[in-house]
């Protein structure tokens, strides 16, 4: 199934291995745990009740078995040095990406500041003053009415 050792690559061997065992589901039927022998049932109603009880017991045992296998896989995975190394690598990459984003944001901020500071107001002050005076005159005229 998975052939690996302590130097196996994470993506090719380690991750699929733990993926399989952490989502494990047994194919065992657990019929040996049946409480009732259906051949001893008196009628169909009793047989169905017995089967229902047997199924409940088998399902509980199957669930418990699957959970114990998954817990074991999780326990081992937490202590696997290959997984720890991969997590450290992911954290390092995340930190590098975070720093790159911060640097990019700072660069964009600096460029915007340069653009704002280099922006020259191209409107003629004399023209603005003339407009302002015209507005004042029209405002005074409208107030005098």
């Amino acid at each position: 199934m998975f052939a690996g050792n302590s130097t196996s690559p994470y993506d090719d061997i380690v991750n699929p291995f733990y993926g399989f065992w952490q989502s494990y589901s047994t194919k065992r039927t657990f019929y040996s745990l049946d409480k009732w022998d259906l051949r001893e049932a008196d009628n169909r109603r009793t047989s169905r009740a017995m089967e229902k009880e047997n199924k409940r017991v088998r399902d509980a045992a199957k669930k418990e078995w699957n959970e114990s296998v998954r817990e074991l896989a999780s326990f081992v995975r937490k202590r696997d040095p290959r997984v720890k190394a991969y997590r450290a690598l992911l954290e390092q990459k995340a930190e590098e990406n975070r720093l790159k984003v911060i640097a990019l944001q700072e660069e964009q901020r600096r460029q915007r500041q340069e653009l704002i500071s280099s922006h020259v107001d191209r409107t003629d002050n004399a023209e603005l003053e003339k407009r302002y005076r015209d507005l004042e005159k029209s405002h005074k005229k409208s107030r005098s009415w």
Side-chain angles (χ1 to χ4, degrees), residues 6 8 10 13 20-21 30 35 51 55 68 74 77 84 87 92 100-101 114 119 122 126-127 133 140 142:
S6 63
S8 296
Y10 184 84
I13 302 295
F20 175 82
W21 287 107
F30 292 94
K35 292 173 79 173
E51 177 59 30
K55 182 174 178 359
S68 66
S74 293
R77 184 175 190 189
K84 289 180 181 179
R87 282 190 188 140
Q92 179 185 359
K100 284 180 185 178
V101 166
E114 285 178 8
H119 180 69
R122 298 180 188 219
E127 186 181 329
R133 285 189 190 116
K140 286 180 183 178
S142 66

Side-chain angles (χ1 to χ4, degrees), residues 82-99:
R82 298 169 298 183
V83 174
K84 289 180 181 179
Y86 186 72
R87 282 190 188 140
L89 177 68
L90 289 179
E91 289 172 3
Q92 179 185 359
K93 285 183 180 181
E95 181 64 20
E96 289 172 3
N97 287 339
R98 188 183 69 81
L99 293 175

Side-chain angles (χ1 to χ4, degrees), residues 4-25:
N5 56 30
S6 63
T7 60
S8 296
Y10 184 84
D11 290 331
D12 297 335
I13 302 295
V14 179
N15 192 33
F17 173 80
Y18 285 116
F20 175 82
W21 287 107
Q22 286 182 324
S23 62
Y24 176 78
S25 181

Side-chain angles (χ1 to χ4, degrees), residues 7 15 20 27 30-32 43 57 67 70 77 100 109 112 128 138-139:
T7 60
N15 192 33
F20 175 82
K27 303 223 182 331
F30 292 94
Y31 282 117
S32 61
N43 56 37
V57 170
E67 287 176 0
R70 292 175 188 152
R77 184 175 190 189
K100 284 180 185 178
R109 191 174 295 121
R112 282 193 304 266
L128 286 176
S138 66
H139 183 66

